């Protein structure tokens, strides 16, 4: 209220506020393992040298890069890798400039289907939440690592029918898609070029989106429903269309050369 109203958000002469509503997550933790700590000015350079991104950028297969004695020890790390590579792609497309430091997580349960397949999200029971809280309080911490999650999973689910993961949440999403202001920090540090592991489902969905954007089937929706300005949709080098073209060339080129492995869709059998 004390500042100057933004005409891209306040429309109809200031009588309407336009935007997307997102559930305000409660009880989340800062995903500091991904963001690291240090200077704000070099936060993206810092991000690409943290262990989570370095695992995504590891040229080895996941069998070589992620070593664990059991599914409970490897799945949380693979889930984190998928979250990180997905986030890089999202932020490249949307020219998000203030992600690093604004990444959160919650510990959640993934149920393993009895017939095999991909683990699926389910709500944690009150008893499971209470036992998890008790373990964290005993350890005098609210933050857990992937290796600690593996041990907690064995304790909470001794039959091995479920597993704990740190599920990533991206709450701060207001710094993107504005060619007048946004630099596209992920592109600046060439994060997408460095990605060597990605979900095949994410890759396929992106190809469908790219086809809609490059053919301009997405244009009417972007401008009339999402209120993109024309130059934000297809203007300068950091417009949505140019970001999509850049990501498409990068990912398809790396996929064809074998540098990009679509190996993060994990199933259990």
């Amino acid at each position: 209220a004390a500042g100057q109203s933004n005409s891209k958000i306040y429309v109809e002469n200031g009588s309407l506020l336009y935007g997307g509503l997102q559930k305000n997550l409660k009880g989340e933790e800062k995903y500091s393992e991904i963001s690291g700590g240090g200077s704000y000015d070099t936060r993206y350079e810092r991000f690409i040298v943290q262990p989570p991104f370095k695992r995504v950028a590891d040229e080895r297969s996941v069998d070589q890069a992620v070593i664990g004695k059991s599914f409970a020890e490897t799945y949380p790390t693979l889930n984190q890798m998928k979250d990180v590579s997905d986030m890089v792609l999202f932020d490249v497309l949307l020219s998000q400039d203030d992600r690093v430091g604004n990444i959160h997580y919650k510990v959640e349960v993934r149920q393993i289907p009895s017939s095999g397949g991909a683990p699926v999200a389910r709500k944690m029971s009150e008893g499971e939440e209470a036992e998890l809280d008790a373990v964290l309080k005993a350890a005098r911490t609210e933050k857990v690592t992937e290796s600690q999650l593996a041990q907690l999973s064995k304790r909470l689910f001794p039959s091995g029918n479920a597993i704990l993961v740190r599920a990533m949440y991206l709450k701060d999403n207001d710094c993107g898609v504005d060619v007048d202001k946004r630099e596209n920090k992920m592109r600046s540090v060439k994060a997408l070029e460095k990605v060597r592991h990605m979900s095949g489902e994410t890759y396929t969905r992106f190809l469908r989106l790219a086809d809609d954007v490059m053919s301009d089937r997405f244009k009417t929706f972007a401008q009339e429903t999402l209120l993109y300005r024309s130059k934000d949709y297809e203007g300068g080098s950091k417009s949505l269309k140019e970001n999509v073209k850049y990501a498409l060339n990068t990912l398809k080129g790396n996929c064809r050369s074998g540098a990009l492995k679509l190996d993060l869709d994990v199933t259990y059998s």
Side-chain angles (χ1 to χ4, degrees):
Q4 187 176 13
S5 65
N6 187 333
S7 61
K8 300 169 191 170
I9 300 174
Y10 292 88
V11 297
E12 301 295 335
N13 295 319
S15 64
L16 292 176
L17 178 65
Y18 188 92
L21 293 177
Q22 181 177 347
K23 181 180 179 180
N24 185 20
L25 192 67
K26 301 294 184 182
E28 75 277 15
E29 296 291 337
K30 282 274 191 179
Y31 219 151
S32 52
E33 180 184 342
I34 292 176
S35 297
S39 170
Y40 179 83
D41 293 336
T42 58
R43 64 198 185 282
Y44 278 81
E45 289 79 4
R46 183 177 71 241
F47 160 71
I48 62 174
V49 298
Q50 299 306 308
F53 182 79
K54 289 177 74 173
R55 280 192 284 270
V56 169
D58 195 318
E59 295 184 354
R60 295 175 296 170
S61 69
V62 289
D63 291 341
Q64 296 171 313
V66 182
I67 301 173
K69 296 179 180 178
S70 67
F71 189 71
E73 291 177 327
T74 56
Y75 181 71
T77 300
L78 295 173
N79 182 76
Q80 183 192 70
M81 290 173 67
K82 180 183 182 301
D83 282 344
V84 171
S85 63
D86 283 356
M87 180 188 73
V88 170
L89 177 57
F90 293 154
D91 288 353
V92 163
L93 298 179
L94 299 179
S95 293
Q96 170 64 247
D97 273 2
D98 197 24
R99 174 70 67 217
V100 180
N102 286 313
I103 309 168
H104 297 79
Y105 77 87
K106 285 197 73 171
V107 175
E108 295 182 353
V109 178
R110 297 291 184 267
Q111 190 74 31
I112 299 173
S114 58
S115 58
V120 294
R122 73 158 170 83
K123 187 176 181 180
M124 200 178 298
S125 70
E126 291 185 3
E128 291 165 350
E129 285 186 346
E131 187 165 358
L132 177 62
D133 288 342
V135 170
L136 296 178
K137 287 179 181 178
R140 296 182 180 181
T141 183
E142 294 178 343
K143 299 180 182 295
V144 291
T145 65
E146 260 53 57
S147 60
Q148 289 171 323
L149 279 182
Q151 297 303 314
L152 287 172
S153 292
K154 292 177 182 178
R155 174 171 173 170
L156 288 175
F157 315 111
S159 65
N161 65 339
I163 195 168
L164 295 172
V165 299
R166 287 191 288 182
M168 179 188 287
Y169 285 88
L170 306 177
K171 294 182 62 176
D172 192 329
N173 296 294
D174 61 327
C175 292
V177 196
D178 185 337
V179 295
D180 295 330
K181 296 182 179 181
R182 304 303 166 204
E183 301 176 37
N184 200 321
K185 293 291 188 179
M186 285 294 184
R187 284 187 63 173
S188 297
V189 296
K190 300 186 182 302
L192 193 62
E193 287 97 325
K194 297 178 175 68
V195 168
R196 293 293 177 264
H197 302 278
M198 180 171 279
S199 157
E201 181 181 6
T202 297
Y203 182 79
T204 301
R205 287 175 179 268
F206 167 65
L207 292 183
R208 292 173 184 164
L209 172 65
D211 187 53
D212 283 342
V213 171
M214 300 311 296
S215 68
D216 281 337
R217 288 192 296 270
F218 190 71
K219 185 174 183 178
T220 299
F221 176 77
Q223 294 184 330
E224 294 184 3
T225 302
L226 302 181
L227 297 190
Y228 274 62
R229 299 175 300 171
S230 178
K231 61 182 177 180
D232 289 328
Y233 180 78
E234 57 183 350
S237 61
K238 301 301 188 293
S239 66
L240 174 67
K241 196 169 186 178
E242 289 302 315
N243 287 339
V244 168
K245 184 187 298 184
Y246 160 80
L248 187 63
N249 291 337
T250 299
L251 293 179
K252 287 183 75 172
N254 285 343
C255 189
R256 286 169 175 163
S257 71
L260 177 64
K261 302 170 181 65
L262 306 178
D263 55 4
L264 295 182
D265 294 308
V266 180
T267 59
Y268 182 83
S269 61

